[in-house]
Amino acid sequence: MRFLVRLLGGIWLATLVVSAGFAYLEVREERERQIENLKRRATLVGAAVAEASERLVTRGARTGYERVLTRFGTPERGLAIYDAFGGVLGATADVRPFLGPLSPLVSDAIRSNEPVAGFQNVAGRLTWVHVVPVQQDERAAGAAAVLLDAQYLDSGEWDLWRRTAVRMGVLMLLVTGITWALVRWSVTRPIARIAEWTKQMKAGRPVAPPPDADESLFGSLASEVTGLARTLARARSAAEQEARLRLAGESVWTEERLKQFVEMRFGRRPVFVVSNREPVSHVRDGRVVREQEPASGLVTALGPIMQACGGVWVAHGSGNADREVGERIGLPSADPAYTLRRVWLSDEEEAGYYYGFANEGLWPLCHIVHERPRFRAADWGHYRAVNERFAKALLQEMEAVEAPIVLVQDYHFALLPRLVKEARPDARVALFWHIPWPNFEAVGICPWQSDILLGMLGADLVGFHTQFYCNNFLETVERAIEGRIEWDRFTVVRGQHTTHVRPFPISVAPDLGAAARPADRAAALAAFGVTGEFIGVGVERVDYTKGLPERIRALRRFFERWPEYRRRLTFIQIASPSRSRIARYQAVQEETREMVRALNADLGERGWQPIVYRERHHDRREIYGFYRLADFCMVTSLHDGMNLVAKEFVAARDDDDGVLILSRFAGASHELPDALLVNPYDVEDVASTIHRAVGLPVEERRDRMSHMRRQVREHNIYGWAGLLLDELARIPRVTDRRVA
Ligand code: F6P
C-alpha cells in the first residue's frame, strides 16, 4: 500500500508540475496575443480619431467633436479628445466621468509628441489606454485617447486556470485508477502468486512458476527461486535416497556419493570434460534467446556428473545465439554448478572436422550399417586443427590446476589425449569412446589409422561401452602400430607410457520418475489428436544407424498381420533432425518421412493415423512425458554403442510398467535382457514382437520392467563416472608438470 501511495504521489507530482507549467505558458502566450491585439486596435483607432479631429483641434474649436466621437466610439471603446494643455475637448459619455486618472498619460503624449499607452483602471475595470498626439506642424496641438475595455483579459486567465485545474483533476483520477489496476494485476497479484509458489516449492512440491508473472519484471526472480528450489529439492532427495540406501544396506551410486568420492580421491580438484556437443545451446527465437539442450546421449550422461562434481566443460559453441550469451557461462543457468567454456569454429572447420571426418568418416567406420566411410585429406586437416584448438582451450582452462582430471569424450577428439599429455604430463586423461569400435580390418581402411590410435593412446585410460569393443581396440592396436599389449591387464605399453583399456557401460541418472511428471494420458494424447488404447513411442535423432525405416516397415507389417489393432494402436515417433548437412542424413530423413506418409495414407482412417511423426527438437521434459504414457518403447538401432533412450525409458517408468522393444545390436541389450530383443533387419520378428508387447500380461510387464529398473538403478551414470574416475585415480601420478 505504501508503495502504491509513493508511486501515485510521484505520478501526481509529475502531472501537477507538467500541467501547471503548460497552463502557465499558455496563459502567458494568450495574454501577449490579446495585448497585441488591443494595441493594434487602439493604434488604428487612435490614428483615425487624431486625424479626424486634427482640423478642429488646430483651429482651437470648442465644439464639433461630437461627430468624431459618434463616428469612432462604440460601447466597448471610449474616446476622448484633448487640447494642447490637456483640457478635455470632447469625450464619449461612458468615459467622461472617469477621465481624471488619464491626465499623466495625456501630458506625456503631448510633451513627448509620441503615442503613449498602458493599462489603467477606469471605472473599476481594467482598460487599455492609448493616447496619440494630434499634430500641427509636427508639434503636439492636442491629443486623442482611445480606451479599450481589457477586463476580459483577467477573466479569460481565470477561466483558463479553472479549466486546467479540472483537466488535472480528471487526469489524476484516471491515472490513479489505471495505476492502481496495473499495480494490482501486474505486481501485487503476481507477487502474491510467486510467494504462494515459493511456499509450495519450499514444501518440496515441484510446481511450475505462475504463468502471469511478467518475464521482464519477475523473470530473474523466478529463475533464482527455481534454482534455489531445485537445489533444495536435489539436496532433500539426495539425503532421502542416502537414508533409504543405508536402511536397505545397498551401495548404489548416487550424485552425493559421487561428489564425496571425487573429493576423497582427488581432493577439491575440478573435473575437465571435453566434448564436441555442448550441454546447452543458446538459440535465438525471434526477439528472445532460449536455452536448448541438444538431443545427445552424451549430454544426457555427462550433465548430471558435471552438476555433481563441478569443473569446466569445453565444447563447441554451436548455438546461433551462443556468441551473444558468452564464451564462459555458468550452468545450469538457474543454479550454476560448473562452467561451460565454448570453442568457436568457422563454418569451414565445422564442415571438415565435424560433418566431414568425424561423421562421414569415423561414424560409418565404427558402425556396421553398410554405409561407406568417406576420408578426405582436407577433412583430416580440419580434424587435426580443431583437435589442436580444443587442446589449447583446455590447457588454458587448467593452467592453474595441478594434476587435473580430464575426461575427453568421443570420436571427435581422437587426437586430443596425446596433445594434452604432451603439454601436461601431470594431467590424468581418460578418453571415452561413445560409439562401437569395429574389428581391426574395418579400421584398417582409414588412411590415418596410426595417427588416430597414437592420439588415443596418449590417454591414461581409454573406455568403451563393452568388453567386446575393448578387445577390438586392443587387437587393432596390436596389428596397426608398435607397442606391447598386455592382454592379462588390458593395457598398451609404448615407451614409458601405459594406456589402460576398460569397459564402462554408460548409463543415465537412476530415477527420472520425478522429472517425468506422470502425464495426463488423455490430455497429452488429445493434444496430438491421438486416441487409442495402445501407444508406442520412439525417440531418435534422425540417423541411418537408428533403424527408422526398418521400424516403420515393421509397424506396417504389424497392422497388416493384426488388423484388429488398427484404430486401437498409435505409434508416436519423436525425431530430432541431426547432421542434416550430410547427404546420407538428408536421404534417411526423406525416406522416413515418405514411409510415414505412405503408411498413414494406406492404412490410416478418418480420425486415426498409425504413426504420429513429430520431426523437431523436443526438450527433455516433453520426452519424459511420452515415455510415461507409452505402452511400449521401440529402439531398433542397426548398430549402437549403447543407446541411452532405452535406459531413459526404463528410468522414467517408476510405475514399473511399459515394455521395451530393443535391438540386439544396441550395446544396451547386453544389460537389459528383460527387454523384448529384436533383430531390426527382420521385419517379421519386429512386427510379431510389437504384437507380443501389446499383449504381454501385466505381471510379466511388471517383472521385466522392475528387473530392468534395478539394473539401471544399480548401474547408473554416477556409477559409470565413479568407476571411470576410480580407475583413473589408480594410475600413478606423474609429478613433473611439463616435459620438454
Ligand atoms: O553416439 C555418439 C554421439 O556422439 C553421442 O554421444 C550423442 O548422443 C550423439 O552422437 C549426438 O550426435 P551429435 O552431437 O553429432 O548431434
Side-chain angles (χ1 to χ4, degrees), residues 65 132 239 270 356 363 403 416 498 543 580 654 684 732:
Y65 295 100
V132 197
W363 179 266
L416 196 72
T498 302
D543 189 310
S580 327
D654 58 1
E684 293 299 331

Side-chain angles (χ1 to χ4, degrees), residues 110 169 180 192 196 224 374 416 501 540 653 663 701 727:
I110 295 171
W180 180 82
E196 179 52 28
E224 282 304 318
R374 280 155 222 275
L416 196 72
V501 180
E540 263 86 24
R653 297 306 298 249
S663 162
R701 283 203 314 258
E727 193 72 42

Side-chain angles (χ1 to χ4, degrees), residues 58 108 112 119 196 224 229 270 326 376 388 409 447 456 495 504-505 596 605 609 653 663 669 699 718 727:
T58 51
D108 279 358
S112 61
F119 282 109
E196 179 52 28
E224 282 304 318
R376 305 177 195 96
E388 280 160 20
Q409 305 301 315
M456 293 173 76
F504 300 100
V596 171
E605 294 170 25
Q609 286 194 326
R653 297 306 298 249
S663 162
S669 65
E699 302 75 35
Y718 304 113
E727 193 72 42

Side-chain angles (χ1 to χ4, degrees), residues 481-556:
I481 57 171
E482 296 256 322
R484 196 173 78 244
I485 313 291
E486 298 177 336
W487 282 98
D488 54 332
R489 292 174 56 222
F490 288 97
T491 53
V492 180
V493 183
R494 295 191 72 258
Q496 299 299 305
H497 185 67
T498 302
T499 305
H500 302 252
V501 180
R502 297 277 185 280
F504 300 100
I506 203 164
S507 193
V508 294
D511 214 335
L512 303 181
R517 245 183 287 155
D520 172 349
R521 183 176 161 118
L525 295 182
F528 271 72
V530 173
T531 52
E533 232 173 292
F534 301 104
I535 300 296
V537 70
V539 178
E540 263 86 24
R541 284 184 307 107
V542 185
D543 189 310
Y544 54 86
T545 60
K546 302 294 179 187
L548 282 164
E550 286 74 7
R551 181 180 310 170
I552 296 162
R553 223 166 272 138
L555 280 162
R556 177 185 278 272

